[in-house]
Amino acid sequence: MPATVGPGDGLAGMDELTRKLTDLYQEHYRQLLRIALLLVDDRSAAEDVVHDAFLRVYDSRSRLRDPDKALAFLRQAVLNRARSVLRRRLVAKRYQPTLAERDSHPDDTGRGVDRALLADALAKLPRRQREAVVLRYYADVSEARTAELMRVSPGAVKSYCSRGVARLSELLREWV
Protein backbone atom coordinates (compact mmCIF):
# COMPACT_ATOMS: atom_id res chain seq x y z
CA MET A 1 0.00 0.00 0.00
CA PRO A 2 1.52 3.37 -0.96
CA ALA A 3 2.57 5.68 1.82
CA THR A 4 1.41 8.85 0.04
CA VAL A 5 -0.99 9.76 2.79
CA GLY A 6 -1.27 13.29 4.05
CA PRO A 7 0.75 14.31 7.11
CA GLY A 8 -0.61 12.85 10.30
CA ASP A 9 -2.96 10.45 8.52
CA GLY A 10 -0.77 7.37 8.70
CA LEU A 11 -1.68 4.05 7.11
CA ALA A 12 -4.71 3.71 9.41
CA GLY A 13 -6.30 6.71 7.64
CA MET A 14 -5.65 5.08 4.27
CA ASP A 15 -7.15 1.80 5.47
CA GLU A 16 -10.32 3.61 6.55
CA LEU A 17 -10.60 5.36 3.18
CA THR A 18 -9.96 2.08 1.38
CA ARG A 19 -12.75 0.45 3.39
CA LYS A 20 -15.13 3.33 2.59
CA LEU A 21 -14.35 3.09 -1.12
CA THR A 22 -14.88 -0.67 -1.04
CA ASP A 23 -18.24 -0.22 0.70
CA LEU A 24 -19.17 2.47 -1.81
CA TYR A 25 -18.32 0.16 -4.69
CA GLN A 26 -20.39 -2.69 -3.27
CA GLU A 27 -23.34 -0.43 -2.52
CA HIS A 28 -23.46 1.44 -5.85
CA TYR A 29 -22.05 -1.08 -8.33
CA ARG A 30 -25.43 -2.03 -9.83
CA GLN A 31 -26.52 1.59 -10.31
CA LEU A 32 -23.21 2.50 -11.93
CA LEU A 33 -23.41 -0.59 -14.13
CA ARG A 34 -26.90 0.39 -15.33
CA ILE A 35 -25.68 3.90 -16.16
CA ALA A 36 -22.72 2.52 -18.10
CA LEU A 37 -24.91 -0.07 -19.84
CA LEU A 38 -27.32 2.59 -21.06
CA LEU A 39 -24.44 4.68 -22.34
CA VAL A 40 -22.36 2.00 -24.08
CA ASP A 41 -25.11 -0.55 -24.86
CA ASP A 42 -22.91 -3.59 -24.16
CA ARG A 43 -22.88 -5.43 -20.84
CA SER A 44 -19.26 -6.56 -20.87
CA ALA A 45 -18.07 -3.10 -21.93
CA ALA A 46 -20.25 -1.54 -19.22
CA GLU A 47 -18.75 -3.87 -16.60
CA ASP A 48 -15.27 -2.91 -17.78
CA VAL A 49 -16.20 0.77 -17.62
CA VAL A 50 -17.37 0.48 -14.00
CA HIS A 51 -14.36 -1.58 -12.92
CA ASP A 52 -11.91 0.78 -14.63
CA ALA A 53 -13.65 3.80 -13.12
CA PHE A 54 -13.47 2.32 -9.65
CA LEU A 55 -9.79 1.46 -10.09
CA ARG A 56 -9.02 5.01 -11.19
CA VAL A 57 -10.80 6.45 -8.15
CA TYR A 58 -9.17 3.86 -5.90
CA ASP A 59 -5.70 4.57 -7.29
CA SER A 60 -6.15 8.30 -6.71
CA ARG A 61 -7.73 7.89 -3.27
CA SER A 62 -4.85 9.70 -1.57
CA ARG A 63 -5.85 12.86 -3.47
CA LEU A 64 -9.51 12.56 -2.41
CA ARG A 65 -9.98 15.52 -0.08
CA ASP A 66 -13.59 14.78 0.87
CA PRO A 67 -14.42 11.05 1.08
CA ASP A 68 -18.13 11.96 1.02
CA LYS A 69 -17.70 13.06 -2.59
CA ALA A 70 -16.25 9.71 -3.68
CA LEU A 71 -19.56 8.65 -5.28
CA ALA A 72 -19.59 11.81 -7.38
CA PHE A 73 -16.03 11.10 -8.51
CA LEU A 74 -17.01 7.53 -9.26
CA ARG A 75 -19.98 8.65 -11.39
CA GLN A 76 -17.76 11.13 -13.23
CA ALA A 77 -15.20 8.39 -13.84
CA VAL A 78 -17.92 6.07 -15.22
CA LEU A 79 -19.12 8.81 -17.54
CA ASN A 80 -15.57 9.56 -18.72
CA ARG A 81 -14.75 5.88 -19.28
CA ALA A 82 -18.02 5.39 -21.22
CA ARG A 83 -17.09 8.35 -23.43
CA SER A 84 -13.71 6.73 -24.10
CA VAL A 85 -15.36 3.46 -25.08
CA LEU A 86 -17.68 5.28 -27.47
CA ARG A 87 -14.77 7.22 -29.01
CA ARG A 88 -12.85 3.98 -29.57
CA ARG A 89 -15.92 2.47 -31.23
CA LEU A 90 -16.17 5.41 -33.61
CA VAL A 91 -12.54 5.01 -34.61
CA ALA A 92 -12.99 1.27 -35.08
CA LYS A 93 -16.10 1.85 -37.16
CA ARG A 94 -14.23 4.21 -39.46
CA TYR A 95 -11.34 1.86 -40.06
CA GLN A 96 -12.95 -1.54 -39.88
CA PRO A 97 -14.91 -2.67 -42.95
CA THR A 98 -17.40 -4.91 -41.18
CA LEU A 99 -18.54 -4.89 -37.60
CA ALA A 100 -20.19 -7.72 -35.73
CA GLU A 101 -23.96 -7.93 -36.12
CA ARG A 102 -26.23 -7.21 -33.15
CA ASP A 103 -27.69 -10.17 -31.29
CA SER A 104 -30.28 -11.70 -33.59
CA HIS A 105 -32.11 -13.35 -30.66
CA PRO A 106 -33.37 -10.57 -28.38
CA ASP A 107 -34.67 -11.32 -24.91
CA ASP A 108 -38.22 -12.74 -25.10
CA THR A 109 -39.39 -11.56 -21.69
CA GLY A 110 -41.80 -8.63 -21.70
CA ARG A 111 -39.50 -6.51 -19.58
CA GLY A 112 -36.46 -7.47 -21.65
CA VAL A 113 -38.13 -6.40 -24.87
CA ASP A 114 -38.93 -3.00 -23.37
CA ARG A 115 -35.36 -2.68 -22.15
CA ALA A 116 -34.02 -3.73 -25.56
CA LEU A 117 -36.24 -1.18 -27.34
CA LEU A 118 -35.15 1.53 -24.94
CA ALA A 119 -31.48 0.59 -25.33
CA ASP A 120 -31.81 0.67 -29.12
CA ALA A 121 -33.57 4.04 -28.98
CA LEU A 122 -30.95 5.45 -26.60
CA ALA A 123 -28.20 4.23 -28.92
CA LYS A 124 -29.70 6.34 -31.73
CA LEU A 125 -29.50 9.56 -29.70
CA PRO A 126 -26.49 11.84 -30.02
CA ARG A 127 -23.93 11.21 -27.25
CA ARG A 128 -24.65 14.33 -25.19
CA GLN A 129 -28.43 13.81 -25.31
CA ARG A 130 -27.99 10.17 -24.30
CA GLU A 131 -25.74 11.15 -21.38
CA ALA A 132 -28.15 13.83 -20.16
CA VAL A 133 -31.21 11.57 -20.38
CA VAL A 134 -29.49 8.65 -18.64
CA LEU A 135 -28.07 10.79 -15.84
CA ARG A 136 -31.24 12.82 -15.24
CA TYR A 137 -33.99 10.25 -15.67
CA TYR A 138 -32.35 6.89 -15.10
CA ALA A 139 -29.68 7.64 -12.50
CA ASP A 140 -31.86 10.36 -10.93
CA VAL A 141 -28.97 12.83 -10.77
CA SER A 142 -29.94 16.45 -10.19
CA GLU A 143 -29.86 18.94 -13.04
CA ALA A 144 -27.00 20.87 -11.44
CA ARG A 145 -24.94 17.74 -10.80
CA THR A 146 -25.61 16.48 -14.34
CA ALA A 147 -24.31 19.82 -15.65
CA GLU A 148 -21.16 19.39 -13.54
CA LEU A 149 -20.63 15.80 -14.68
CA MET A 150 -21.11 16.70 -18.33
CA ARG A 151 -19.16 19.95 -17.93
CA VAL A 152 -21.96 22.04 -19.47
CA SER A 153 -24.40 24.65 -18.18
CA PRO A 154 -27.70 23.65 -16.53
CA GLY A 155 -29.48 25.20 -19.51
CA ALA A 156 -27.61 22.89 -21.85
CA VAL A 157 -28.69 19.92 -19.70
CA LYS A 158 -32.31 21.05 -20.03
CA SER A 159 -31.90 21.36 -23.78
CA TYR A 160 -30.21 17.96 -24.15
CA CYS A 161 -32.90 16.32 -22.01
CA SER A 162 -35.75 18.00 -23.83
CA ARG A 163 -34.44 17.06 -27.26
CA GLY A 164 -33.43 13.58 -26.12
CA VAL A 165 -36.81 12.77 -24.61
CA ALA A 166 -38.61 14.13 -27.67
CA ARG A 167 -36.46 11.98 -29.98
CA LEU A 168 -36.92 8.92 -27.75
CA SER A 169 -40.68 9.42 -27.92
CA GLU A 170 -40.54 9.54 -31.71
CA LEU A 171 -38.37 6.44 -31.94
CA LEU A 172 -40.43 4.41 -29.48
CA ARG A 173 -43.68 5.37 -31.22
CA GLU A 174 -42.24 4.09 -34.50
CA TRP A 175 -41.24 0.74 -32.98
CA VAL A 176 -44.24 0.04 -30.76
Side-chain angles (χ1 to χ4, degrees), residues 16-29 54:
E16 177 65 20
L17 182 57
T18 299
R19 186 189 61 74
K20 284 183 179 180
L21 286 172
T22 303
D23 291 345
L24 182 74
Y25 178 78
Q26 291 172 346
E27 184 178 337
H28 294 281
Y29 173 78
F54 178 74

Short mmCIF file of all heavy atoms in Angstrom, two decimals, residues 16-29 54:
data_model
loop_
_atom_site.label_atom_id
_atom_site.label_comp_id
_atom_site.label_asym_id
_atom_site.label_seq_id
_atom_site.Cartn_x
_atom_site.Cartn_y
_atom_site.Cartn_z
N GLU A 16 -8.93 3.19 6.37
CA GLU A 16 -10.32 3.61 6.55
C GLU A 16 -10.91 4.09 5.22
O GLU A 16 -12.03 3.74 4.85
CB GLU A 16 -10.42 4.71 7.60
CG GLU A 16 -11.80 5.26 7.81
CD GLU A 16 -12.79 4.25 8.38
OE1 GLU A 16 -12.36 3.23 8.98
OE2 GLU A 16 -14.00 4.45 8.23
N LEU A 17 -10.13 4.87 4.48
CA LEU A 17 -10.60 5.36 3.18
C LEU A 17 -10.77 4.21 2.21
O LEU A 17 -11.75 4.16 1.46
CB LEU A 17 -9.62 6.39 2.62
CG LEU A 17 -9.99 7.04 1.29
CD1 LEU A 17 -11.36 7.70 1.38
CD2 LEU A 17 -8.94 8.05 0.89
N THR A 18 -9.86 3.26 2.24
CA THR A 18 -9.96 2.08 1.38
C THR A 18 -11.23 1.31 1.70
O THR A 18 -11.95 0.88 0.81
CB THR A 18 -8.72 1.18 1.56
OG1 THR A 18 -7.56 1.93 1.20
CG2 THR A 18 -8.82 -0.06 0.69
N ARG A 19 -11.53 1.15 2.98
CA ARG A 19 -12.75 0.45 3.39
C ARG A 19 -13.99 1.21 2.91
O ARG A 19 -14.93 0.61 2.39
CB ARG A 19 -12.79 0.29 4.91
CG ARG A 19 -13.98 -0.56 5.39
CD ARG A 19 -14.14 -0.53 6.89
NE ARG A 19 -14.39 0.81 7.41
CZ ARG A 19 -15.53 1.48 7.30
NH1 ARG A 19 -16.55 0.95 6.63
NH2 ARG A 19 -15.68 2.68 7.83
N LYS A 20 -13.98 2.53 3.04
CA LYS A 20 -15.13 3.33 2.59
C LYS A 20 -15.33 3.20 1.08
O LYS A 20 -16.46 3.09 0.61
CB LYS A 20 -14.94 4.80 2.97
CG LYS A 20 -15.19 5.10 4.42
CD LYS A 20 -15.07 6.58 4.69
CE LYS A 20 -15.35 6.87 6.15
NZ LYS A 20 -15.25 8.31 6.45
N LEU A 21 -14.24 3.23 0.33
CA LEU A 21 -14.35 3.09 -1.12
C LEU A 21 -14.85 1.70 -1.50
O LEU A 21 -15.65 1.55 -2.43
CB LEU A 21 -13.00 3.36 -1.79
CG LEU A 21 -12.58 4.83 -1.85
CD1 LEU A 21 -11.15 4.95 -2.36
CD2 LEU A 21 -13.52 5.63 -2.71
N THR A 22 -14.41 0.70 -0.78
CA THR A 22 -14.88 -0.67 -1.04
C THR A 22 -16.37 -0.79 -0.75
O THR A 22 -17.13 -1.37 -1.53
CB THR A 22 -14.08 -1.68 -0.21
OG1 THR A 22 -12.69 -1.52 -0.51
CG2 THR A 22 -14.50 -3.10 -0.50
N ASP A 23 -16.80 -0.22 0.37
CA ASP A 23 -18.24 -0.22 0.70
C ASP A 23 -19.04 0.54 -0.35
O ASP A 23 -20.13 0.11 -0.75
CB ASP A 23 -18.47 0.39 2.09
CG ASP A 23 -17.93 -0.46 3.22
OD1 ASP A 23 -17.63 -1.66 2.98
OD2 ASP A 23 -17.80 0.06 4.34
N LEU A 24 -18.50 1.67 -0.79
CA LEU A 24 -19.17 2.47 -1.81
C LEU A 24 -19.33 1.68 -3.10
O LEU A 24 -20.40 1.68 -3.72
CB LEU A 24 -18.36 3.74 -2.07
CG LEU A 24 -18.92 4.72 -3.07
CD1 LEU A 24 -20.08 5.47 -2.46
CD2 LEU A 24 -17.84 5.69 -3.51
N TYR A 25 -18.28 0.98 -3.48
CA TYR A 25 -18.32 0.16 -4.69
C TYR A 25 -19.40 -0.91 -4.57
O TYR A 25 -20.21 -1.09 -5.49
CB TYR A 25 -16.95 -0.47 -4.92
CG TYR A 25 -16.90 -1.39 -6.11
CD1 TYR A 25 -16.80 -0.88 -7.39
CD2 TYR A 25 -16.92 -2.77 -5.96
CE1 TYR A 25 -16.74 -1.71 -8.49
CE2 TYR A 25 -16.86 -3.61 -7.05
CZ TYR A 25 -16.77 -3.07 -8.31
OH TYR A 25 -16.71 -3.90 -9.40
N GLN A 26 -19.42 -1.61 -3.45
CA GLN A 26 -20.39 -2.69 -3.27
C GLN A 26 -21.81 -2.16 -3.23
O GLN A 26 -22.74 -2.78 -3.75
CB GLN A 26 -20.08 -3.48 -2.00
CG GLN A 26 -18.80 -4.28 -2.12
CD GLN A 26 -18.37 -4.91 -0.81
OE1 GLN A 26 -18.86 -4.58 0.26
NE2 GLN A 26 -17.43 -5.83 -0.90
N GLU A 27 -22.00 -1.00 -2.65
CA GLU A 27 -23.34 -0.43 -2.52
C GLU A 27 -23.88 0.14 -3.84
O GLU A 27 -25.07 0.05 -4.12
CB GLU A 27 -23.32 0.68 -1.47
CG GLU A 27 -24.67 1.29 -1.18
CD GLU A 27 -24.59 2.35 -0.09
OE1 GLU A 27 -23.66 2.32 0.71
OE2 GLU A 27 -25.50 3.19 -0.06
N HIS A 28 -23.00 0.72 -4.66
CA HIS A 28 -23.46 1.44 -5.85
C HIS A 28 -23.08 0.76 -7.17
O HIS A 28 -23.31 1.34 -8.23
CB HIS A 28 -22.93 2.87 -5.84
CG HIS A 28 -23.50 3.69 -4.72
ND1 HIS A 28 -24.75 4.25 -4.79
CD2 HIS A 28 -23.00 4.00 -3.51
CE1 HIS A 28 -25.00 4.88 -3.67
NE2 HIS A 28 -23.95 4.75 -2.87
N TYR A 29 -22.51 -0.42 -7.11
CA TYR A 29 -22.05 -1.08 -8.33
C TYR A 29 -23.19 -1.25 -9.34
O TYR A 29 -23.04 -0.92 -10.51
CB TYR A 29 -21.44 -2.44 -8.00
CG TYR A 29 -21.10 -3.24 -9.24
CD1 TYR A 29 -19.97 -2.95 -9.98
CD2 TYR A 29 -21.94 -4.26 -9.68
CE1 TYR A 29 -19.67 -3.66 -11.13
CE2 TYR A 29 -21.65 -4.98 -10.84
CZ TYR A 29 -20.51 -4.67 -11.55
OH TYR A 29 -20.21 -5.36 -12.69
N PHE A 54 -13.75 2.53 -11.07
CA PHE A 54 -13.47 2.32 -9.65
C PHE A 54 -11.96 2.25 -9.41
O PHE A 54 -11.45 2.84 -8.45
CB PHE A 54 -14.13 1.05 -9.13
CG PHE A 54 -13.81 0.80 -7.68
CD1 PHE A 54 -14.39 1.55 -6.67
CD2 PHE A 54 -12.89 -0.17 -7.32
CE1 PHE A 54 -14.07 1.33 -5.35
CE2 PHE A 54 -12.56 -0.40 -6.00
CZ PHE A 54 -13.15 0.36 -5.01
#
